[in-house]
Amino acid sequence: MKTEKVITVTSPLLPDLDEFNELLKDIWNRKWLTNNGHYHQELEKALCAYLKVPYISLFTNGTLPLITALQALRITGEVITSPYSFVATTHSLWWNGIKPVFVDVDPLTGNLDPDKIEAAITPRTTAVMPVHVYGNPCDTKRIQDIADKYGLKVIYDSAHAFGVEVNGESVLNAGDMSTLSFHATKVYNTVEGGALIMHDEATKKRIDYLKNFGFAGETTVVAPGINSKMDEIRSAYGLLNLKQVDAAIEARHQVAVKYREALRGVEGIRFMEDIPGVRHNYAYFPIFIDEEKYGMTRDELYFKMKEHNVLGRRYFYPLISEFSPYKGLESARPDNLPMATQMAESVICLPMYYGLKECDIENIVTIILDITSNKVSRY
């Protein structure tokens, strides 16, 4: 059953336009558009409080915090990381002249498998860069224990993990630093944007220098920095979106509940359950297709959904390790990454966003059930 409208995989959370216009008028009156202005400072304070973190530095996108964290911690040599992520994770290493070393993932979460990390450590290893995939928290304790044992830094790519907590503690406090993305596709967005979370004031000051060309004063440059500051307009937008993000997360939660109710027990479809003690943000809803049991390949389902105007996404396919800049690495061999390869070849992320209507969910589920022999009346 082809839907009349196109159902996209995500849709941005937008603040009230009238409220935003009022803040724009104030920005126009202040005539201070960037470089640690009023709304930039207010958003940093508000995010620290909401996310339960001590220090945060705002960036113009989610990739530059990764690049800057590696610079700030003076990471060199090799870094152990995941092939199952968006390419920015590994690109940040390349831009710093660092060799990525890929390690396989846990198929239940998609996260870096702690059991595989130690075997990948060499004398050149200086850090681990795990990813909280789909917002599922990594096993931060085991990763930290390994890092402490070998004297490694830990930088978490937390692009998917806005607001995620484990037993009331923010996952963003794990490791030496964590990064966030505020891209329009994320649970919380500032159109484009990102942030870096750190543990102390001195590191916060160094990060703030690095993201502003390395300036520590009007005539003093202390490091070869970059220009990656968030402007006042996006900061004001972010303040307004922060007021409604809890409602958005709960709406996403209800979408996940409906998907699970409809797809539970359907042969050949697996999805992720909530983890006890975790405050999830429901950033994504991935399903994994077993071709033999489902009666159709992942790609056949993906393109059939597309024909019906339902735009899922194959996050994350191909693996980063399969892209040309990285596929020649020894650690990129598919036989080194069997679980990541299996996930990448079977995943489809279903539409998930605040405002996804009940009728849209019904259409999506009906398409998934009706295009194979798995025809089950759920509605």
Side-chain angles (χ1 to χ4, degrees):
M1 98 184 322
K2 185 170 184 176
T3 63
E4 293 183 5
K5 69 174 182 177
V6 174
I7 302 174
T8 54
V9 71
T10 189
S11 182
L13 181 66
L14 297 168
D16 181 83
L17 192 55
D18 290 335
E19 286 189 85
F20 189 40
N21 280 331
E22 288 303 310
L23 297 191
L24 288 178
K25 290 177 185 176
D26 187 51
I27 292 169
W28 259 238
N29 289 333
R30 291 174 183 271
K31 295 181 174 59
W32 189 308
L33 299 183
T34 188
N35 200 4
N36 200 33
H38 170 76
Y39 288 102
H40 182 283
Q41 294 178 39
E42 289 300 306
L43 182 56
E44 286 194 341
K45 292 175 190 174
L47 285 171
C48 278
Y50 180 87
L51 296 170
K52 302 179 182 178
V53 298
Y55 297 95
I56 193 166
S57 184
L58 295 174
F59 281 73
T60 191
N61 61 47
T63 303
L64 287 166
L66 287 166
I67 292 173
T68 306
L70 292 161
Q71 283 283 320
L73 293 172
R74 298 179 173 87
I75 304 301
T76 60
E78 298 177 356
V79 169
I80 292 169
T81 191
S82 171
Y84 194 72
S85 179
F86 186 64
V87 291
T89 307
T90 307
H91 284 353
S92 69
L93 299 172
W94 187 92
W95 276 88
N96 279 282
I98 297 165
K99 179 183 178 181
V101 176
F102 297 113
V103 163
D104 208 6
V105 302
D106 178 345
L108 295 180
T109 63
N111 294 333
L112 207 61
D113 187 343
D115 289 337
K116 305 295 174 58
I117 293 175
E118 285 191 83
I121 295 172
T122 75
R124 287 176 47 79
T125 307
T126 57
V128 184
M129 185 182 282
V131 183
H132 299 296
V133 176
Y134 306 133
N136 294 322
C138 293
D139 190 338
T140 57
K141 183 182 185 306
R142 288 192 62 198
I143 291 171
Q144 193 61 54
D145 287 346
I146 294 168
D148 291 343
K149 179 179 177 181
Y150 291 92
L152 308 177
K153 299 293 186 182
V154 182
I155 301 169
Y156 280 97
D157 182 339
S158 305
H160 306 169
F162 183 90
V164 174
E165 299 176 4
V166 180
N167 298 321
E169 171 74 14
S170 172
V171 296
L172 302 176
N173 287 318
D176 293 278
M177 293 185 191
S178 291
T179 71
L180 284 167
S181 170
F182 301 151
H183 186 268
T185 58
K186 298 298 188 288
V187 170
Y188 167 83
N189 81 88
T190 57
V191 184
E192 284 271 11
L196 186 53
I197 290 89
M198 64 291 296
H199 302 304
D200 61 86
E201 188 175 2
T203 305
K204 155 77 169 161
K205 184 178 291 186
R206 175 168 171 77
I207 294 298
D208 287 348
Y209 292 159
L210 286 173
K211 73 177 184 184
N212 186 31
F213 304 100
F215 277 106
E218 185 179 347
T219 58
T220 304
V221 172
V222 295
I226 197 168
N227 181 20
S228 53
K229 307 180 296 293
M230 181 180 285
D231 59 74
E232 285 292 270
I233 294 171
R234 281 183 285 178
S235 297
Y237 177 109
L239 277 168
L240 294 178
N241 253 356
L242 194 58
K243 298 192 317 186
Q244 60 178 352
V245 72
D246 281 340
I249 290 172
E250 179 53 30
R252 287 170 172 267
H253 179 202
Q254 294 308 311
V255 174
V257 168
K258 291 180 175 67
Y259 278 144
R260 287 171 180 157
E261 288 175 348
L263 298 175
R264 193 177 303 282
V266 176
E267 193 172 10
I269 292 182
R270 177 177 73 86
F271 52 78
M272 295 176 171
E273 303 280 4
D274 284 357
I275 301 169
V278 173
R279 182 201 184 222
H280 290 275
N281 65 10
Y282 307 97
Y284 301 85
F285 194 89
I287 62 172
F288 301 89
I289 306 302
D290 182 323
E291 175 186 350
E292 185 174 337
K293 293 179 180 178
Y294 185 66
M296 181 177 286
T297 67
R298 183 278 309 275
D299 283 352
E300 286 172 336
L301 174 58
Y302 169 76
F303 287 111
K304 186 65 72 172
M305 289 168 60
K306 206 169 186 179
E307 289 173 11
H308 288 75
N309 285 339
V310 175
L311 306 184
R313 288 294 297 272
R314 293 168 290 182
Y315 286 138
F316 293 96
Y317 168 83
L319 293 175
I320 299 173
S321 53
E322 294 181 1
F323 289 119
S324 58
Y326 309 114
K327 66 188 307 180
L329 297 171
E330 178 71 14
S331 64
R333 295 192 333 267
D335 63 347
N336 184 55
L337 307 167
M339 295 297 100
T341 299
Q342 184 181 70
M343 291 184 73
E345 292 178 350
S346 62
V347 67
I348 301 177
C349 284
L350 301 184
M352 166 61 82
Y353 50 89
Y354 175 72
L356 188 64
K357 298 184 185 306
E358 176 82 18
C359 60
D360 293 334
I361 298 170
E362 292 180 10
N363 284 332
I364 293 162
V365 170
T366 299
I367 291 164
I368 293 171
L369 297 177
D370 283 357
I371 59 180
T372 73
S373 59
N374 291 309
K375 295 182 180 180
V376 182
S377 177
R378 302 280 174 148
Y379 291 100

